Amino acid sequence: MSPTTTSTSRGDALAALAEYPLTGLEKSLPAAAAGLTVAEFLATRPRLSAFRTPLLVLDDGALEHNLARMATWCAERGVDLAPHGKTTMAPALWERQLRAGAWGITVANPAQLRVAIRFGVPRVQLANALVDPAALAELADALGADPELQVHSWADSVDTVAAMNSALGPVHPVRPLTVLVELGAPGGRTGARDLPTARAVASAVSASPYLVLGGVCGYEGALAHDRTPAGLDAVRRYLRELGELHLALRAAGAYPAGEAVVTAGGSAYFDEVTDVLAPLAGPDTRVLLRSGAYLIHDDGFYRGISPLAPANNAGATGGTALHSAMHAWARVVSRPEPGLALLDAGKRDVPYDEGLPEPQLAADQLGAPAHPITGEISAVNDQHAFLRLDPATPLRVGQVVRLGLSHPCTAFDKWQWVPVLGGGPDGSGDPDPDPVVVDLLRTFF
């Protein structure tokens, strides 16, 4: 892990990406990119029509809208944001989130932590237990080399703390590692299953010569999958327990001098998190959301469940709804039956775990004027999507279809390079059907 955490070093690392040489073998990039660096390729002002299908694209206007919307939403409620970087694993997008006011970036495993530190993220939350000895030694080195770097990891059992102590003993870390106690719930994911167990974990952290207790943490999204009254009630009960844990630890003097963090909040229930936990924020407590999908949003799962989705009365929260910033383009490669078209995008290209893609627009070619299309993606294979449509629909082999996607976390992991289209604020508002590509994002999955 390279301990580079200043804004200058972040800029240097991102600038290095711009000098990355393209080979012409990158998925969906045009052959004309071969032999150019990313910066040189973008300087040619390539347009959507230059790319190949299947293709994942982002809309720059929608990204800007979502960044501003979430930043305002958090500021109005007195909470901070450490968006989950695993959603995109794109350091250029992390930088935009940091510049929009994010406190830091959240990651999920040691490999992602290495990327965050390499690209100079100053504050990183590892929303997981860190017990791999090699990863702990690497992190200890990074913390020792850079006194400004802040990293939080999680622990949900005394055994977790023991494993960390065992790994760190031979390392003799210069600085203690900050650990948050994770509270879970029966039927949930990780996390201590009750308050007494969580308090025992906190005591074990406090007794460690290598660790320091930094707060409490948890994930409410595993307890519900919708916004029904029963689902929301389960989320609120859990969040109240998380708040009780923090208050008990603070009253017991378990936190050393300085600020404690209370963190929860995926992308589905961050309104409930702020309602329950925001009152805890103060001089000695930072309430930290980890919502990650807000930046990209989607045309599926989050469109239905996000507090800032139109379906959930986003206007009542004091602003406009989030916009889907991602779409895929796929080409018709077969019309074997009157009501069936096969597209050249499949499981290797588009997400399918939280709903299948939805057909939205059709055009003769990428960059050509498009028109709405109705139909349904009924299944995806490795490299094909089954588009069911009215037999009379005039969709020909060779034409292209724009697809709305669900769940950005499993969209980005299929792409190493993602073009960003300049233009409208909602992914389709640019009157030019063939927008210029203004950026080419590199992901690190």
Side-chain angles (χ1 to χ4, degrees):
M1 297 177 183
S2 176
T4 52
T5 59
T6 67
S7 59
T8 299
S9 63
R10 293 205 305 272
D12 291 343
L14 292 170
L17 286 183
E19 299 307 313
Y20 194 95
L22 301 172
T23 66
L25 299 179
E26 294 82 8
K27 180 178 175 180
S28 301
L29 267 61
L36 302 178
T37 66
V38 172
E40 290 168 343
F41 174 59
L42 292 173
T44 69
R45 293 181 59 80
R47 293 184 176 270
L48 173 64
S49 57
F51 289 73
R52 302 172 179 178
T53 59
L55 179 65
L56 178 71
V57 297
L58 298 181
D59 181 85
D60 193 60
L63 293 173
E64 279 300 304
H65 169 83
N66 294 345
L67 278 169
R69 181 69 180 95
M70 191 64 171
T72 299
W73 194 91
C74 290
E76 290 173 345
R77 288 156 180 80
V79 298
D80 287 286
L81 179 64
H84 216 317
K86 72 177 175 61
T87 301
T88 65
M89 284 306 297
L93 292 181
W94 297 351
E95 177 67 10
R96 291 175 72 159
Q97 291 172 304
L98 291 169
R99 291 187 180 278
W103 174 89
I105 296 294
T106 299
V107 295
N109 59 41
Q112 294 174 8
L113 177 60
R114 176 183 288 160
V115 175
I117 294 176
R118 169 65 181 81
F119 280 90
V121 177
R123 303 184 190 93
V124 189
Q125 181 172 189
L126 174 62
N128 211 336
L130 182 60
V131 294
D132 181 285
L136 280 164
E138 198 172 358
L139 175 58
D141 286 345
L143 291 170
D146 184 355
E148 300 301 317
L149 175 63
Q150 297 181 40
V151 178
H152 297 166
S153 69
W154 293 10
D156 68 354
S157 71
V158 172
D159 288 344
T160 303
V161 177
M164 297 182 76
N165 286 335
S166 178
L168 289 170
V171 173
H172 303 293
V174 175
R175 281 204 284 151
L177 278 62
T178 301
V179 175
L180 310 182
V181 176
E182 182 188 4
L183 180 68
R189 202 166 62 184
T190 53
R193 288 317 199 233
D194 53 53
L195 291 174
T197 301
R199 288 194 291 269
V201 177
S203 296
V205 172
S206 297
S208 168
Y210 312 115
L211 309 176
V212 61
L213 185 64
V216 300
C217 57
Y219 176 55
E220 76 290 341
L223 303 178
H225 210 66
D226 53 41
R227 297 190 73 85
T228 61
L232 294 178
D233 185 58
V235 167
R236 292 189 194 104
R237 286 199 309 271
Y238 166 74
L239 293 170
R240 286 193 291 268
E241 283 203 348
L242 184 62
E244 290 171 14
L245 174 63
H246 165 67
L247 292 174
L249 293 176
R250 188 173 66 181
Y255 299 130
E259 180 182 75
V261 164
V262 178
T263 176
S267 296
Y269 305 110
F270 54 84
D271 56 337
E272 303 296 333
V273 173
T274 53
D275 284 350
V276 176
L277 298 181
L280 298 175
D284 60 357
T285 301
R286 183 182 300 272
V287 175
L288 194 60
L289 299 182
R290 303 189 307 277
S291 313
Y294 77 91
L295 176 60
I296 308 301
H297 199 50
D298 71 5
D299 285 310
F301 178 69
Y302 289 113
R303 178 180 61 188
I305 201 169
S306 169
L308 296 183
N312 296 318
N313 195 22
T317 64
T320 57
L322 298 174
H323 297 155
S324 178
M326 68 173 179
H327 299 90
W329 284 93
R331 194 174 303 275
V332 181
V333 294
S334 178
R335 288 297 312 267
E337 301 169 12
L340 175 64
L342 276 298
L343 310 180
D344 66 352
K347 293 180 179 179
R348 306 287 178 89
D349 314 298
V350 295
Y352 55 91
D353 60 318
E354 292 285 2
L356 293 172
E358 62 176 32
Q360 296 177 335
L361 302 172
D364 287 340
Q365 294 290 339
L366 287 178
H371 59 271
I373 186 173
T374 57
E376 178 186 11
I377 301 295
S378 61
V380 287
N381 294 157
D382 282 358
Q383 309 290 176
H384 293 91
F386 290 72
L387 172 55
R388 306 287 176 178
L389 66 173
D390 188 304
T393 301
L395 186 65
R396 305 186 307 275
V397 170
Q399 290 186 305
V400 294
V401 176
R402 194 186 82 170
L403 301 171
L405 305 177
S406 178
H407 199 196
C409 294
T410 51
F412 278 71
D413 64 348
K414 298 167 175 56
W415 297 87
Q416 188 177 52
W417 296 99
V418 183
V420 180
L421 307 178
D426 62 356
S428 61
D430 190 340
D432 186 348
D434 194 18
V436 172
V437 172
V438 297
D439 202 357
L440 191 61
L441 297 179
R442 174 75 156 83
T443 67
F444 289 85
F445 284 96

